[in-house]
Amino acid sequence: ILNVEQSPQSLHVQEGDSTNFTCSFPSSNFYALHWYRWETAKSPEALFVMTLNGDEKKKGRISATLNTKEGYSYLYIKGSQPEDSATYLCAFTTDSWGKFQFGAGTQVVVTP
Amino acid sequence: DTGVSQDPRHKITKRGQNVTFRCDPISEHNRLYWYRQTLGQGPEFLTYFQNEAQLEKSRLLSDRFSAERPKGSFSTLEIQRTEQGDSAMYLCASSRGENSYEQYFGPGTRLTVT
């Protein structure tokens, strides 16, 4: 993997269902992996910063895992709500200067 | 609100015109970043500043683009002789600096070149 890739590109979820999606990144020169939630007409909002292999982070119904050796991270949404509708971006950095390499995002639409 | 702000939020311009965007970072954040997002892509790095010094520029930043951060506070991004390919969302972010992982983003400026 040379670039940051996210899959799927979009998904539709029924309210109350759980879902997950993937961010793949280069496994070499890893420094940190970031997850952002970006709602239309708003600023991207930081969800998690993950730095250690095996990291698991949780914020309410949203959680994330990190595998730096194989170069992937999963984001999970449990019991999806309409307010979870957004584009979820992951960003990979190779140093503390923080120049981000973003994936194209996963657009999540939660329908009531 | 003490978040990152950007102005304007939307800009429509004709091809060949010059445009300038402004970013006001979070107070006391000494790093400031510019990214560009085109349709269907993730944001791409353009340039960043440590205080007033511009430390890196992407090859995406052609000669028509110039960014400044004159007093180490707000920053401007100017595009001269705009082209239709410049149509994009321009995002600004700031961070505290060394050993700080997080970047805080503004809402972006959406540029449409007709």
Side-chain angles (χ1 to χ4, degrees), chain A residues 22-48:
Chain A
T22 309
C23 172
S24 300
F25 53 86
S27 54
S28 59
N29 298 320
F30 177 85
Y31 188 80
L33 192 283
H34 303 253
W35 281 101
Y36 284 84
R37 175 169 60 201
W38 194 4
E39 296 178 65
T40 303
K42 295 186 178 180
S43 303
E45 172 198 356
L47 290 174
F48 305 114

mmCIF file of all heavy atoms in Angstrom, chain A residues 22-48:
data_model
loop_
_atom_site.group_PDB
_atom_site.id
_atom_site.type_symbol
_atom_site.label_atom_id
_atom_site.label_comp_id
_atom_site.label_asym_id
_atom_site.label_seq_id
_atom_site.Cartn_x
_atom_site.Cartn_y
_atom_site.Cartn_z
ATOM 1 N N THR A 22 -13.092 0.498 6.769
ATOM 2 C CA THR A 22 -11.651 0.253 6.850
ATOM 3 C C THR A 22 -10.831 1.406 6.315
ATOM 4 O O THR A 22 -11.226 2.090 5.368
ATOM 5 C CB THR A 22 -11.299 -0.995 6.023
ATOM 6 O OG1 THR A 22 -12.139 -2.062 6.398
ATOM 7 C CG2 THR A 22 -9.843 -1.388 6.211
ATOM 8 N N CYS A 23 -9.689 1.600 6.919
ATOM 9 C CA CYS A 23 -8.659 2.496 6.407
ATOM 10 C C CYS A 23 -7.382 1.681 6.279
ATOM 11 O O CYS A 23 -6.924 1.084 7.261
ATOM 12 C CB CYS A 23 -8.455 3.664 7.362
ATOM 13 S SG CYS A 23 -7.048 4.729 6.958
ATOM 14 N N SER A 24 -6.802 1.654 5.064
ATOM 15 C CA SER A 24 -5.528 0.974 4.844
ATOM 16 C C SER A 24 -4.451 2.008 4.575
ATOM 17 O O SER A 24 -4.686 2.973 3.843
ATOM 18 C CB SER A 24 -5.628 0.015 3.649
ATOM 19 O OG SER A 24 -6.619 -0.953 3.875
ATOM 20 N N PHE A 25 -3.272 1.793 5.115
ATOM 21 C CA PHE A 25 -2.209 2.791 4.993
ATOM 22 C C PHE A 25 -0.860 2.079 4.877
ATOM 23 O O PHE A 25 -0.742 0.882 5.188
ATOM 24 C CB PHE A 25 -2.231 3.736 6.211
ATOM 25 C CG PHE A 25 -2.205 3.022 7.538
ATOM 26 C CD1 PHE A 25 -1.008 2.644 8.114
ATOM 27 C CD2 PHE A 25 -3.390 2.710 8.197
ATOM 28 C CE1 PHE A 25 -0.981 1.981 9.327
ATOM 29 C CE2 PHE A 25 -3.381 2.043 9.400
ATOM 30 C CZ PHE A 25 -2.175 1.675 9.971
ATOM 31 N N PRO A 26 0.174 2.803 4.437
ATOM 32 C CA PRO A 26 1.501 2.184 4.344
ATOM 33 C C PRO A 26 1.962 1.718 5.723
ATOM 34 O O PRO A 26 1.862 2.458 6.702
ATOM 35 C CB PRO A 26 2.391 3.307 3.807
ATOM 36 C CG PRO A 26 1.444 4.263 3.154
ATOM 37 C CD PRO A 26 0.168 4.184 3.946
ATOM 38 N N SER A 27 2.485 0.494 5.800
ATOM 39 C CA SER A 27 2.883 -0.041 7.110
ATOM 40 C C SER A 27 4.282 0.414 7.515
ATOM 41 O O SER A 27 4.693 0.211 8.658
ATOM 42 C CB SER A 27 2.802 -1.563 7.108
ATOM 43 O OG SER A 27 3.559 -2.098 6.047
ATOM 44 N N SER A 28 5.010 1.041 6.601
ATOM 45 C CA SER A 28 6.350 1.523 6.951
ATOM 46 C C SER A 28 6.278 2.993 7.353
ATOM 47 O O SER A 28 5.392 3.730 6.916
ATOM 48 C CB SER A 28 7.296 1.358 5.767
ATOM 49 O OG SER A 28 6.816 2.068 4.647
ATOM 50 N N ASN A 29 7.225 3.411 8.186
ATOM 51 C CA ASN A 29 7.329 4.814 8.623
ATOM 52 C C ASN A 29 6.052 5.321 9.282
ATOM 53 O O ASN A 29 5.685 6.482 9.132
ATOM 54 C CB ASN A 29 7.671 5.737 7.444
ATOM 55 C CG ASN A 29 9.003 5.389 6.838
ATOM 56 O OD1 ASN A 29 9.956 5.086 7.543
ATOM 57 N ND2 ASN A 29 9.072 5.406 5.520
ATOM 58 N N PHE A 30 5.390 4.460 10.026
ATOM 59 C CA PHE A 30 4.152 4.865 10.692
ATOM 60 C C PHE A 30 4.467 5.768 11.870
ATOM 61 O O PHE A 30 5.365 5.484 12.658
ATOM 62 C CB PHE A 30 3.391 3.631 11.172
ATOM 63 C CG PHE A 30 2.140 3.979 11.938
ATOM 64 C CD1 PHE A 30 0.959 4.228 11.263
ATOM 65 C CD2 PHE A 30 2.154 4.084 13.314
ATOM 66 C CE1 PHE A 30 -0.189 4.565 11.960
ATOM 67 C CE2 PHE A 30 1.017 4.424 14.022
ATOM 68 C CZ PHE A 30 -0.159 4.662 13.350
ATOM 69 N N TYR A 31 3.669 6.852 12.003
ATOM 70 C CA TYR A 31 3.778 7.711 13.181
ATOM 71 C C TYR A 31 2.443 7.800 13.902
ATOM 72 O O TYR A 31 2.358 7.632 15.103
ATOM 73 C CB TYR A 31 4.284 9.110 12.795
ATOM 74 C CG TYR A 31 4.599 9.980 13.988
ATOM 75 C CD1 TYR A 31 5.806 9.833 14.680
ATOM 76 C CD2 TYR A 31 3.694 10.951 14.429
ATOM 77 C CE1 TYR A 31 6.100 10.626 15.776
ATOM 78 C CE2 TYR A 31 3.986 11.741 15.525
ATOM 79 C CZ TYR A 31 5.184 11.571 16.194
ATOM 80 O OH TYR A 31 5.465 12.358 17.286
ATOM 81 N N ALA A 32 1.380 8.107 13.158
ATOM 82 C CA ALA A 32 0.055 8.214 13.773
ATOM 83 C C ALA A 32 -1.023 8.049 12.710
ATOM 84 O O ALA A 32 -0.804 8.296 11.526
ATOM 85 C CB ALA A 32 -0.121 9.554 14.483
ATOM 86 N N LEU A 33 -2.185 7.629 13.160
ATOM 87 C CA LEU A 33 -3.350 7.475 12.301
ATOM 88 C C LEU A 33 -4.492 8.247 12.952
ATOM 89 O O LEU A 33 -4.767 8.092 14.150
ATOM 90 C CB LEU A 33 -3.708 5.986 12.161
ATOM 91 C CG LEU A 33 -4.713 5.493 11.118
ATOM 92 C CD1 LEU A 33 -6.143 5.759 11.525
ATOM 93 C CD2 LEU A 33 -4.432 6.063 9.739
ATOM 94 N N HIS A 34 -5.148 9.093 12.167
ATOM 95 C CA HIS A 34 -6.214 9.955 12.680
ATOM 96 C C HIS A 34 -7.531 9.596 12.014
ATOM 97 O O HIS A 34 -7.558 9.286 10.819
ATOM 98 C CB HIS A 34 -5.921 11.420 12.352
ATOM 99 C CG HIS A 34 -4.607 11.928 12.857
ATOM 100 N ND1 HIS A 34 -4.502 12.802 13.922
ATOM 101 C CD2 HIS A 34 -3.336 11.680 12.448
ATOM 102 C CE1 HIS A 34 -3.225 13.072 14.136
ATOM 103 N NE2 HIS A 34 -2.490 12.408 13.262
ATOM 104 N N TRP A 35 -8.596 9.679 12.780
ATOM 105 C CA TRP A 35 -9.949 9.556 12.231
ATOM 106 C C TRP A 35 -10.680 10.878 12.461
ATOM 107 O O TRP A 35 -10.631 11.452 13.559
ATOM 108 C CB TRP A 35 -10.733 8.438 12.902
ATOM 109 C CG TRP A 35 -10.400 7.066 12.416
ATOM 110 C CD1 TRP A 35 -9.598 6.137 13.020
ATOM 111 C CD2 TRP A 35 -10.895 6.438 11.218
ATOM 112 N NE1 TRP A 35 -9.554 4.988 12.276
ATOM 113 C CE2 TRP A 35 -10.350 5.137 11.173
ATOM 114 C CE3 TRP A 35 -11.755 6.844 10.182
ATOM 115 C CZ2 TRP A 35 -10.622 4.243 10.138
ATOM 116 C CZ3 TRP A 35 -12.027 5.960 9.155
ATOM 117 C CH2 TRP A 35 -11.464 4.676 9.140
ATOM 118 N N TYR A 36 -11.375 11.339 11.411
ATOM 119 C CA TYR A 36 -12.179 12.552 11.483
ATOM 120 C C TYR A 36 -13.592 12.254 10.999
ATOM 121 O O TYR A 36 -13.785 11.423 10.100
ATOM 122 C CB TYR A 36 -11.598 13.664 10.590
ATOM 123 C CG TYR A 36 -10.374 14.356 11.146
ATOM 124 C CD1 TYR A 36 -9.108 13.806 10.976
ATOM 125 C CD2 TYR A 36 -10.482 15.559 11.840
ATOM 126 C CE1 TYR A 36 -7.986 14.440 11.479
ATOM 127 C CE2 TYR A 36 -9.359 16.192 12.358
ATOM 128 C CZ TYR A 36 -8.127 15.627 12.167
ATOM 129 O OH TYR A 36 -7.011 16.257 12.670
ATOM 130 N N ARG A 37 -14.538 12.968 11.556
ATOM 131 C CA ARG A 37 -15.914 12.952 11.053
ATOM 132 C C ARG A 37 -16.189 14.316 10.451
ATOM 133 O O ARG A 37 -15.943 15.352 11.079
ATOM 134 C CB ARG A 37 -16.909 12.681 12.181
ATOM 135 C CG ARG A 37 -18.369 12.769 11.748
ATOM 136 C CD ARG A 37 -19.296 12.251 12.802
ATOM 137 N NE ARG A 37 -19.182 13.000 14.046
ATOM 138 C CZ ARG A 37 -19.570 12.528 15.219
ATOM 139 N NH1 ARG A 37 -20.090 11.322 15.310
ATOM 140 N NH2 ARG A 37 -19.455 13.271 16.305
ATOM 141 N N TRP A 38 -16.731 14.313 9.218
ATOM 142 C CA TRP A 38 -16.952 15.568 8.502
ATOM 143 C C TRP A 38 -18.385 15.616 8.039
ATOM 144 O O TRP A 38 -18.776 14.919 7.106
ATOM 145 C CB TRP A 38 -15.991 15.660 7.314
ATOM 146 C CG TRP A 38 -15.894 17.027 6.720
ATOM 147 C CD1 TRP A 38 -16.494 18.180 7.143
ATOM 148 C CD2 TRP A 38 -15.125 17.379 5.572
ATOM 149 N NE1 TRP A 38 -16.134 19.231 6.344
ATOM 150 C CE2 TRP A 38 -15.294 18.769 5.369
ATOM 151 C CE3 TRP A 38 -14.307 16.676 4.706
ATOM 152 C CZ2 TRP A 38 -14.673 19.449 4.339
ATOM 153 C CZ3 TRP A 38 -13.696 17.361 3.675
ATOM 154 C CH2 TRP A 38 -13.889 18.732 3.487
ATOM 155 N N GLU A 39 -19.145 16.476 8.701
ATOM 156 C CA GLU A 39 -20.527 16.711 8.301
ATOM 157 C C GLU A 39 -20.569 17.876 7.326
ATOM 158 O O GLU A 39 -19.765 18.815 7.423
ATOM 159 C CB GLU A 39 -21.391 17.031 9.523
ATOM 160 C CG GLU A 39 -21.500 15.881 10.512
ATOM 161 C CD GLU A 39 -22.327 16.272 11.720
ATOM 162 O OE1 GLU A 39 -23.539 16.522 11.562
ATOM 163 O OE2 GLU A 39 -21.751 16.352 12.820
ATOM 164 N N THR A 40 -21.530 17.826 6.433
ATOM 165 C CA THR A 40 -21.671 18.851 5.398
ATOM 166 C C THR A 40 -21.746 20.237 6.029
ATOM 167 O O THR A 40 -22.457 20.436 7.023
ATOM 168 C CB THR A 40 -22.932 18.580 4.564
ATOM 169 O OG1 THR A 40 -22.829 17.267 4.015
ATOM 170 C CG2 THR A 40 -23.059 19.588 3.437
ATOM 171 N N ALA A 41 -21.003 21.170 5.455
ATOM 172 C CA ALA A 41 -21.002 22.579 5.866
ATOM 173 C C ALA A 41 -20.383 22.808 7.243
ATOM 174 O O ALA A 41 -20.506 23.905 7.807
ATOM 175 C CB ALA A 41 -22.394 23.183 5.823
ATOM 176 N N LYS A 42 -19.718 21.798 7.785
ATOM 177 C CA LYS A 42 -19.045 21.962 9.077
ATOM 178 C C LYS A 42 -17.560 21.660 8.945
ATOM 179 O O LYS A 42 -17.093 21.204 7.904
ATOM 180 C CB LYS A 42 -19.675 21.039 10.125
ATOM 181 C CG LYS A 42 -21.116 21.387 10.451
ATOM 182 C CD LYS A 42 -21.607 20.532 11.595
ATOM 183 C CE LYS A 42 -23.035 20.889 11.973
ATOM 184 N NZ LYS A 42 -23.545 20.063 13.095
ATOM 185 N N SER A 43 -16.818 21.925 10.025
ATOM 186 C CA SER A 43 -15.398 21.584 10.037
ATOM 187 C C SER A 43 -15.223 20.101 10.312
ATOM 188 O O SER A 43 -15.991 19.522 11.085
ATOM 189 C CB SER A 43 -14.681 22.365 11.144
ATOM 190 O OG SER A 43 -14.851 23.754 11.002
ATOM 191 N N PRO A 44 -14.227 19.472 9.701
ATOM 192 C CA PRO A 44 -13.906 18.095 10.107
ATOM 193 C C PRO A 44 -13.620 18.053 11.608
ATOM 194 O O PRO A 44 -12.886 18.884 12.129
ATOM 195 C CB PRO A 44 -12.650 17.778 9.284
ATOM 196 C CG PRO A 44 -12.730 18.686 8.094
ATOM 197 C CD PRO A 44 -13.368 19.949 8.605
ATOM 198 N N GLU A 45 -14.196 17.065 12.268
ATOM 199 C CA GLU A 45 -14.085 16.946 13.720
ATOM 200 C C GLU A 45 -13.209 15.740 14.048
ATOM 201 O O GLU A 45 -13.472 14.635 13.564
ATOM 202 C CB GLU A 45 -15.471 16.752 14.331
ATOM 203 C CG GLU A 45 -15.480 16.438 15.808
ATOM 204 C CD GLU A 45 -16.808 15.834 16.265
ATOM 205 O OE1 GLU A 45 -17.732 15.735 15.438
ATOM 206 O OE2 GLU A 45 -16.909 15.468 17.446
ATOM 207 N N ALA A 46 -12.198 15.963 14.864
ATOM 208 C CA ALA A 46 -11.305 14.861 15.238
ATOM 209 C C ALA A 46 -12.033 13.851 16.113
ATOM 210 O O ALA A 46 -12.706 14.223 17.077
ATOM 211 C CB ALA A 46 -10.082 15.410 15.972
ATOM 212 N N LEU A 47 -11.905 12.585 15.744
ATOM 213 C CA LEU A 47 -12.479 11.506 16.548
ATOM 214 C C LEU A 47 -11.392 10.822 17.379
ATOM 215 O O LEU A 47 -11.504 10.729 18.598
ATOM 216 C CB LEU A 47 -13.159 10.467 15.652
ATOM 217 C CG LEU A 47 -14.450 10.885 14.955
ATOM 218 C CD1 LEU A 47 -14.903 9.789 13.996
ATOM 219 C CD2 LEU A 47 -15.534 11.203 15.963
ATOM 220 N N PHE A 48 -10.378 10.323 16.702
ATOM 221 C CA PHE A 48 -9.331 9.577 17.384
ATOM 222 C C PHE A 48 -7.967 9.877 16.779
ATOM 223 O O PHE A 48 -7.855 10.128 15.595
ATOM 224 C CB PHE A 48 -9.558 8.058 17.256
ATOM 225 C CG PHE A 48 -10.896 7.574 17.721
ATOM 226 C CD1 PHE A 48 -11.796 7.035 16.812
ATOM 227 C CD2 PHE A 48 -11.250 7.645 19.052
ATOM 228 C CE1 PHE A 48 -13.035 6.591 17.225
ATOM 229 C CE2 PHE A 48 -12.486 7.205 19.484
ATOM 230 C CZ PHE A 48 -13.384 6.674 18.562
#
